[in-house]
């Protein structure tokens, strides 16, 4: 107890260690000790004398013998049931030459043939004798030693390493304009197809149209009696569609700046809307847990898409099947059959409300945003691609451009920019609120790229619209990708 080197390990007693190992060998490996040991294994380990420091007997059933294999055909068998097996009736199948060769490859070769045919040492053997580890092989490749017919060949077998591919470089985006004019939260935003102006809807119950180049206000439209939650401009006709928490869906004629149609049917606040790209159909989603398909001209409700068990927060349309995609506060995403008005697929991977869904403009894929993760999916069956983790906030909006820049905007005012293909987060932005606002009024409700994809517009809780553009001065040298080809563990759900 009083020695100075009390932390030093007790010296090992050889005799007691031998006894311990003998007992362990007998108890743990007693069932296989009687099995024969191949000579080449013993030779690699240095034989019984050098390979066993404890003096145990090596059990070898084939001492002094070489292992030879004779490939024969099947046992004799009769040609059919009820036929006696005689010398005349017996059938015996012999293996084909290719089958015999493939069998020979799988069998270990005898030592004498190996010694006779060996002309050079294998790669692994040279490394072992030199005391060098076999690390100089290319990563992701392994040397597989094949002993076939007495010859030793080294075949390079590629192993799939789950490493993240190198992301494409994207220039960072910078804030260059803040547009104010609304008297409430700016809840939605849309750019018109001609790229001359954009439209916003707000909690002040107005819809405002702004000049895209100068940011000047062109027009204010009043008519909603509660927060405007969705706006979209038609590419097929001079119409603007809007929806709001007053359960109303309106169609505005932009030649007269007046409401020309109302779409009645939703039983609660309407949270979002989208236009079909090829047919005159409008899709809206609501807090009443349904999405509705409307005929733009006749105002008729073509389908009521029922199935969600909570408010439907977002809806998107496309020309290909499935033509309608919805995300809901019941944590599910549904892909709909537009003709039948029924669910094709329900995706239940998210654990929290899905407030945002965005379709890629070029690829047959889409992304969904939730506080737990942003997930990417493949059409038409909603096969999971990957998670984009790191934006730990309530994600209100997603948008993506043709260059593969995905933008996620959150309730706390943060905006993350991602490389679509690899899921690499290349920029994080948290713009300051406009003077006079509280810090708590930092939130992004909607974001959209303009038609040229050179401007990014965000609708925010500080009652402003912020406009971002790519930093022209940035290069890959000044803003390098801080990326390492590390092995990634992707959560499947």
């Amino acid at each position: 107890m009083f020695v100075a080197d009390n932390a030093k390990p007790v010296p090992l007693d050889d005799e007691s260690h031998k006894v311990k190992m003998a007992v362990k060998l007998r108890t743990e490996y007693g069932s296989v000790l009687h099995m024969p040991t191949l000579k080449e294994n013993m030779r690699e380990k240095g034989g019984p004398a050098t390979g066993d420091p404890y003096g145990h007997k090596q059990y070898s059933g084939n001492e002094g013998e070489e292992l030879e294999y004779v490939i024969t055909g099947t046992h004799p068998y009769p040609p059919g049931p009820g036929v006696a097996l005689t010398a005349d009736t017996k059938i015996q199948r012999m293996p084909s030459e290719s089958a015999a060769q493939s069998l020979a490859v799988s069998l270990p070769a005898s030592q004498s043939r190996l010694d006779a045919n060996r002309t050079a040492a294998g790669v692994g053997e040279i490394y072992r004798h030199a005391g060098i580890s076999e690390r100089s092989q290319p990563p992701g490749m392994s040397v597989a030693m094949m002993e076939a017919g007495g010859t030793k060949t080294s075949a390079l077998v590629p192993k799939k390493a789950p490493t993240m591919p190198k992301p494409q470089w994207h220039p960072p985006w910078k804030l260059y304009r803040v547009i104010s004019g609304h008297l409430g939260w700016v809840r939605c935003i849309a750019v018109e197809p001609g790229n001359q102006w954009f439209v916003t809807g707000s909690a002040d119950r107005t819809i405002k149209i702004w000049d895209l180049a100068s940011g000047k206000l062109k027009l204010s439209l009043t008519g909603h009696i509660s927060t405007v939650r969705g706006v979209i401009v038609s590419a097929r006709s001079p119409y603007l569609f809007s929806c709001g928490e007053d359960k109303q869906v309106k169609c505005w004629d932009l030649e007269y700046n007046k409401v020309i149609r109302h779409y009645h049917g939703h039983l609660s606040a309407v949270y979002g809307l989208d236009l079909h790209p090829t047919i005159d159909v409008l899709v809206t989603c609501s807090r009443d847990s349904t999405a509705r398909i409307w005929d733009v001209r006749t105002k008729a409700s073509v389908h009521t898409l029922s199935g969600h068990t909570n408010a439907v927060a977002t809806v998107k349309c496309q020309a290909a099947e499935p033509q309608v995609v919805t995300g809901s506060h019941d944590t599910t995403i549904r892909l709909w059959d537009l003709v039948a008005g029924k669910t094709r697929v329900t995706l239940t991977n998210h654990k929290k409300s899905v407030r945002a869904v965005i379709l890629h403009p070029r690829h047959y894929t889409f992304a969904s945003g939730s506080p737990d993760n942003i997930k990417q999916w493949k059409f038409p069956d909603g096969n999971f691609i990957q998670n984009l983790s790191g934006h730990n906030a309530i994600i209100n909006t997603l948008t993506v451009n043709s260059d593969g820049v995905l933008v996620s905007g959150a309730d706390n005012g943060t905006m993350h920019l991602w490389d679509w293909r690899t899921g690499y987060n290349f920029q994080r932005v948290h713009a300051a609120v406009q003077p006079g606002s509280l810090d708590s009024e930092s939130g992004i409700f909607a974001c959209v790229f303009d038609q040229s994809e050179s401007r990014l517009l965000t609708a925010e809780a500080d009652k402003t619209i912020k406009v971002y553009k790519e930093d022209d001065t940035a290069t890959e040298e000044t803003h390098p990708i801080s990326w390492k080809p590390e092995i990634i563990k992707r959560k499947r759900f």
Side-chain angles (χ1 to χ4, degrees):
M1 195 165 77
F2 301 104
V3 292
D5 57 349
N6 59 343
K8 195 175 174 183
V10 180
L12 194 68
D13 178 45
D14 270 354
E15 197 61 38
S16 59
H17 186 62
K18 277 184 188 178
V19 173
K20 176 188 168 187
M21 295 308 290
V23 172
K24 188 171 183 180
L25 196 68
R26 197 162 55 249
T27 54
E28 293 191 16
Y29 304 104
S31 57
V32 294
L33 281 176
H34 65 279
M35 293 178 72
T37 307
L38 284 180
K39 276 195 172 182
E40 47 252 57
N41 290 351
M42 289 171 61
R43 187 174 173 275
E44 281 180 12
K45 291 174 185 171
T50 56
D52 184 11
Y54 309 115
H56 296 305
K57 182 184 175 187
Q58 294 284 340
Y59 293 89
S60 173
N62 295 55
E63 289 184 24
E65 298 176 22
E66 293 292 355
L67 293 174
E68 294 292 345
Y69 299 94
V70 179
I71 301 170
T72 62
T74 61
H75 290 290
Y77 60 92
V83 181
L85 181 62
T86 64
D88 300 326
T89 61
K90 73 175 183 180
I91 297 174
Q92 187 174 12
R93 287 187 184 274
M94 298 305 290
S96 65
E97 193 177 339
S98 60
Q101 283 177 357
S102 64
L103 184 59
V105 166
S106 64
L107 294 173
S110 66
Q111 188 61 40
S112 57
R113 280 184 294 160
L114 278 177
D115 289 337
N117 293 334
R118 184 177 288 150
T119 55
V123 178
E125 207 170 327
I126 293 169
Y127 283 141
R128 272 200 302 276
H129 282 295
I132 305 167
S133 62
E134 298 178 42
R135 288 183 183 271
S136 54
Q137 301 164 27
M141 308 291 276
S142 66
V143 175
M145 296 299 178
M146 301 272 293
E147 298 183 357
T151 61
K152 202 169 208 181
T153 59
S154 62
L156 288 174
V157 182
K159 280 184 184 173
K160 276 188 180 176
T163 54
M164 180 195 276
K166 185 172 183 183
Q168 180 188 344
W169 183 81
H170 301 283
W173 292 70
K174 62 179 183 182
L175 178 69
Y176 87 105
R177 179 174 287 154
V178 178
I179 301 167
S180 53
H182 276 295
L183 303 176
W185 289 353
V186 188
R187 295 301 306 240
C188 49
I189 189 163
V191 180
E192 64 99 13
N195 215 36
Q196 298 299 308
W197 46 270
F198 66 94
V199 56
T200 55
S202 166
D204 63 11
R205 304 177 305 220
T206 65
I207 297 165
K208 290 185 185 287
I209 293 174
W210 313 80
D211 184 66
L212 185 60
S214 64
K216 298 272 173 53
L217 179 66
K218 292 173 72 130
L219 187 67
S220 289
L221 301 172
T222 56
H224 279 282
I225 57 173
S226 189
T227 303
V228 182
R229 291 294 293 264
V231 288
I232 189 163
V233 187
S234 173
R236 298 165 59 83
S237 50
Y239 296 153
L240 163 69
F241 296 87
S242 65
C243 64
E245 291 179 6
D246 51 12
K247 311 178 198 174
Q248 294 183 21
V249 182
K250 295 176 185 282
C251 173
W252 304 77
D253 188 325
L254 295 174
E255 291 175 350
Y256 299 97
N257 300 330
K258 287 182 180 171
V259 178
I260 56 167
R261 296 188 188 104
H262 284 95
Y263 302 89
H264 295 286
H266 278 298
L267 307 175
S268 191
V270 186
Y271 282 165
L273 78 174
D274 199 14
L275 282 165
H276 196 284
T278 55
I279 54 177
D280 284 329
V281 158
L282 173 70
V283 189
T284 56
C285 62
S286 166
R287 197 170 65 196
D288 63 13
S289 307
T290 67
R292 283 181 181 257
I293 314 285
W294 309 90
D295 186 316
V296 169
R297 291 180 187 144
T298 66
K299 301 180 284 184
S301 179
V302 181
H303 286 303
T304 301
L305 306 179
S306 318
H308 284 295
T309 57
N310 206 331
V312 186
T314 178
V315 64
K316 284 287 178 279
C317 271
Q318 62 175 358
E321 288 291 342
Q323 296 181 55
V324 180
V325 182
T326 56
S328 167
H329 287 286
D330 66 7
T331 76
T332 67
I333 301 158
R334 284 180 183 252
L335 316 182
W336 300 86
D337 184 333
L338 181 62
V339 178
K342 293 198 169 88
T343 305
R344 281 170 57 109
V345 183
T346 305
L347 306 173
T348 58
N349 302 34
H350 280 293
K351 304 291 182 289
K352 296 189 178 176
S353 303
V354 181
R355 297 184 183 218
V357 165
I358 188 68
L359 316 183
H360 194 284
R362 290 186 180 167
H363 304 161
Y364 198 37
T365 55
F366 72 103
S368 57
S370 171
D372 58 1
N373 261 317
I374 299 168
K375 293 181 187 288
Q376 286 179 345
W377 314 87
K378 203 179 290 182
F379 284 128
D381 300 319
N383 297 324
F384 176 80
I385 300 173
Q386 65 180 347
N387 278 326
L388 280 64
S389 303
H391 202 171
N392 302 317
I394 297 169
I395 294 170
N396 285 324
T397 177
L398 293 172
T399 189
V400 64
N401 66 8
S402 305
D403 198 29
V405 176
L406 174 69
V407 181
S408 57
D411 224 30
N412 60 1
T414 58
M415 185 169 71
H416 286 201
L417 290 88
W418 313 78
D419 178 49
W420 179 277
R421 187 175 60 89
T422 59
Y424 170 72
N425 180 206
F426 69 89
Q427 191 184 359
R428 299 182 179 189
V429 180
H430 193 170
V433 294
Q434 76 165 335
S437 299
L438 301 172
D439 283 339
S440 58
E441 286 189 303
S442 175
I444 300 172
F445 291 117
C447 64
V448 68
F449 285 101
D450 73 344
Q451 304 297 340
S452 70
E453 299 182 338
S454 61
R455 300 288 180 271
L456 172 65
L457 300 99
T458 62
E460 309 217 358
D462 62 356
K463 306 172 190 172
T464 66
I465 301 111
K466 293 189 171 73
V467 188
Y468 295 83
K469 67 176 180 181
E470 287 183 340
D471 188 350
D472 300 329
T473 61
T475 63
E476 206 161 344
E477 285 73 35
T478 59
H479 292 77
I481 296 173
S482 57
W483 161 86
K484 294 176 186 173
E486 58 194 4
I487 293 177
I488 52 170
K489 292 179 182 175
R490 281 186 182 152
K491 283 169 67 181
R492 300 305 296 172
F493 294 103

